[in-house]
């Protein structure tokens, strides 16, 4: 892989990362390319579907990551920068924080055996801890959960339970704008579906804030 991707991917395997992430055993740099040697993890991709026995394991892995501080010696984007172009005016600062975020908790990035393991760190980000639960909600919707069910699942994470409603709604708006741009650039059905889920989730949070 390229050096930039290798630096990003190795974040999830550093000595400070939780056990939910694979261990990095060796790292060789050759010209502008890096070779990374990880532990072998037997398992399968997680099933996010309603009623899946994997769901408690899926909740446990990001919960470990929630306690991990983003390293300061590796150049990764801050959340308030990554979503700045999509966030409602003046709200991007609400995404800031010091937690190491994965931000792509799709089922194919979670391996399951007797526990869940988070892999493929192509989009590491430093930001508010509640952002990963927000990202996970969208993948639960993709797997067939309702808006209420997905939001309730995210409440396993204290960061999501205590996040300001304004911040969650602003991020949902930014993520919806980002996915709509992605779907417009590439008409792949799954991207259009994800864009639809982001719009629906933003509307769900907006309705909740209106009822407070």
């Amino acid at each position: 892989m390229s050096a930039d991707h290798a630096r990003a991917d190795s974040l999830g395997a550093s000595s400070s990362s939780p056990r939910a992430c694979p261990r990095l055993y060796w790292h060789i740099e050759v010209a502008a390319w890096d070779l990374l040697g990880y532990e072998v993890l037997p398992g399968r991709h997680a099933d996010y579907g309603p009623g899946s026995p994997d769901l408690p394991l899926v909740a446990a892995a990001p919960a470990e990551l929630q306690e991990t501080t983003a390293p300061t010696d590796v150049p990764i984007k801050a959340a308030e920068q990554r979503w700045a172009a999509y966030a409602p005016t003046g709200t991007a600062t609400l995404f800031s924080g010091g937690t190491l975020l994965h931000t792509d908790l799709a089922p194919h990035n979670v391996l399951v055996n007797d526990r869940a393991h988070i892999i493929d760190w192509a989009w590491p980000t430093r930001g508010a801890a509640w952002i990963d639960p927000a990202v996970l909600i969208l993948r639960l919707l993709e797997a067939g959960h309702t808006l209420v069910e997905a939001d309730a699942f995210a409440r396993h994470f204290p960061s999501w339970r205590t996040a300001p409603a304004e911040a969650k709604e602003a991020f949902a708006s930014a993520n919806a704008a980002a996915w709509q741009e992605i779907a417009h650039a590439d008409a792949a059905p799954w991207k259009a579906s994800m864009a639809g889920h982001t719009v629906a989730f933003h509307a769900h949070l907006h309705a909740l804030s209106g009822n407070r």
Side-chain angles (χ1 to χ4, degrees):
M1 63 177 65
S2 69
D4 287 344
H5 192 164
R7 282 192 293 271
D9 209 46
S10 64
L11 280 170
S14 69
S15 59
S16 61
S17 298
R19 190 66 190 92
C21 303
R23 299 299 90 189
L24 177 65
Y25 289 143
W26 50 263
H27 176 194
I28 301 172
E29 296 185 17
V30 180
W33 294 85
D34 288 40
L35 299 176
L36 305 180
Y38 291 95
E39 68 174 312
V40 175
L41 291 174
R44 56 178 172 76
H45 295 308
D47 177 1
Y48 282 14
S52 168
D54 292 349
L55 290 176
L57 302 179
V58 170
E64 292 182 22
L65 188 59
Q66 295 269 285
E67 304 302 321
T68 304
T69 300
T72 57
D73 58 345
V74 179
I76 59 174
K77 268 194 175 180
E80 62 271 26
Q81 297 170 336
R82 180 173 165 187
W83 281 282
Y86 306 103
T89 302
T91 65
T93 56
L94 297 172
F95 311 156
S96 65
T99 301
L100 176 62
L101 306 171
H102 184 276
T103 75
D104 189 15
L105 293 170
H108 59 264
N109 289 335
V110 179
L111 291 180
V112 171
N113 41 51
D114 61 339
R115 62 176 298 145
H117 304 268
I118 302 171
I119 61 172
D120 193 352
W121 285 74
W123 300 99
T125 302
R126 178 187 297 105
W130 53 264
I131 289 176
D132 264 348
V135 169
L136 181 57
I137 283 173
L138 301 177
R139 295 300 182 171
L140 293 170
L141 295 175
E142 182 184 37
H145 294 257
T146 67
L147 288 163
V148 172
E149 289 168 347
D151 195 1
F153 185 89
R155 294 182 69 80
H156 283 96
F157 305 100
S159 64
W160 183 253
R161 292 198 303 269
T162 59
E166 177 190 7
K168 293 194 287 189
E169 186 179 344
F171 182 77
S173 175
N175 216 16
W179 272 104
Q180 286 176 295
E181 181 178 274
I182 291 169
H184 180 74
D186 182 346
W190 75 269
K191 293 182 179 179
S193 177
M194 285 298 294
H197 291 314
T198 61
V199 171
F201 183 57
H202 177 228
H204 171 73
L205 290 183
H206 183 71
L208 289 179
S209 65
N211 291 329
R212 288 187 176 89

